[in-house]
Amino acid sequence: MECKDIKGILIQYSLGDLGQVEKVGVEKHLEECNECRLYLSQSNELWNLLDTWEEVEPDDNFISQFWDQASIDETKYKPGFLSQLRNFKLNWTLAGAMASIFLVSIITFAVFSPDTTNTLFTSADEQDELILIELDNALSRETADVLSIYGPWDNTLDVNGNGGMN
Amino acid sequence: MESDIELMLRTKAGDDDAFSELMNRHYKGVLNYIYRFTNLKENSEDLAQEVFLRVYRSATKYRPEAKFTTWLYRIATNVSLTYVKKKNKNVSLDEMNEKTGEIEDSGVEISDDIIYRKEIKNVIFSAMESLPEREKVAIMLCKYEGLSYEETADVLECTVGAVKAYVHRGRMKLVNKLKPYLTEEGEYGV
Ligand SMILES: [Zn+2]
């Protein structure tokens, strides 16, 4: 294996994620290659360096602050009204299903409003999901950048986390 | 000890004490997660409160199939990213000063160690900020929040292999960006 292949799988090597053949290949290469040894030790050093970013402590009264805010929130959002609205939506779904039984014999397709409501997330989360999709685009740009520095990642690191052997 | 899921189900049934207990368990983690996105402690408190408000508000919709931490960190990620995007759009000079300049406690002697810690904190923050969001999120969740690759994959809605790739790529970029703070020759120096 060449240096760029080794660098592509060094972290899996540190994590013990490599198969026996690859592991031996990496170890043999590391014995002989100063550059890759430095690369590995700097990667481990970096991981420890991240620990120097210290934690912050929460305000002492974060729980009471929360409940104060929650009670303001409750009047603002009127959860009673919201649950009524949810029931209302549910009735609509039922009504829609019943109506479609009648309509399906007449019309070739019925118009369903797709139920995209993810019951786990609030409506704001749905908006936020778009952000994560945007992030993927940002990732490909950055990947292009890094290719020129470290070599072809995608060839050496597939999504199953297995490195390729030459 | 009751599981997070049990506490969340009690919350759903209207037991606010259960939610206070969930906050006791996870508030600090969420606060620090957001703090590492923003590098601003004040804002982080507000945003952490917002995250828990959103969780509390949607408690009625909670289903025990979802792992609580995954759900929590997903909301925290969305809140953080939304904040960072909004902030970067209208970043003013004041905010930039606020970001790097901190007010010292007068009368407190500042040791080299404190100066180094503060410097390194800002340097790590900048390096992290320059990473693509998914690499940043993956590193923060795995490294700082102690989530497993599987849990991080659930937060990012991707495969475990993809999470490892994000962490790997991000880590290598950080090595490059933080080189001045790493031993030049390494342990096995030439
Ligand atoms: Zn090498």
Side-chain angles (χ1 to χ4, degrees), chain A residues 3 29 33 36:
Chain A
C3 291
H29 183 95
C33 180
C36 287

Short mmCIF file of all heavy atoms in Angstrom, two decimals, chain A residues 3 29 33 36, ligand 1:
data_model
loop_
_atom_site.label_atom_id
_atom_site.label_comp_id
_atom_site.label_asym_id
_atom_site.label_seq_id
_atom_site.Cartn_x
_atom_site.Cartn_y
_atom_site.Cartn_z
N CYS A 3 1.43 5.48 0.69
CA CYS A 3 1.15 6.36 1.82
C CYS A 3 -0.30 6.87 1.80
O CYS A 3 -0.96 6.91 2.83
CB CYS A 3 2.12 7.55 1.82
SG CYS A 3 3.79 7.04 2.23
N HIS A 29 3.76 -1.09 7.03
CA HIS A 29 4.08 0.20 6.41
C HIS A 29 4.57 1.20 7.46
O HIS A 29 5.52 1.93 7.23
CB HIS A 29 2.84 0.75 5.70
CG HIS A 29 3.08 2.03 4.97
ND1 HIS A 29 3.40 2.09 3.63
CD2 HIS A 29 3.10 3.33 5.40
CE1 HIS A 29 3.58 3.35 3.27
NE2 HIS A 29 3.40 4.12 4.34
N CYS A 33 7.76 3.72 7.37
CA CYS A 33 7.48 5.06 6.84
C CYS A 33 7.34 6.11 7.95
O CYS A 33 6.38 6.10 8.71
CB CYS A 33 6.21 5.02 5.99
SG CYS A 33 5.80 6.62 5.30
N CYS A 36 4.09 8.50 7.57
CA CYS A 36 2.80 7.98 8.04
C CYS A 36 2.78 7.84 9.58
O CYS A 36 1.73 7.99 10.19
CB CYS A 36 2.48 6.65 7.37
SG CYS A 36 1.99 6.88 5.64
ZN ZN C 1 3.73 6.17 4.38
#
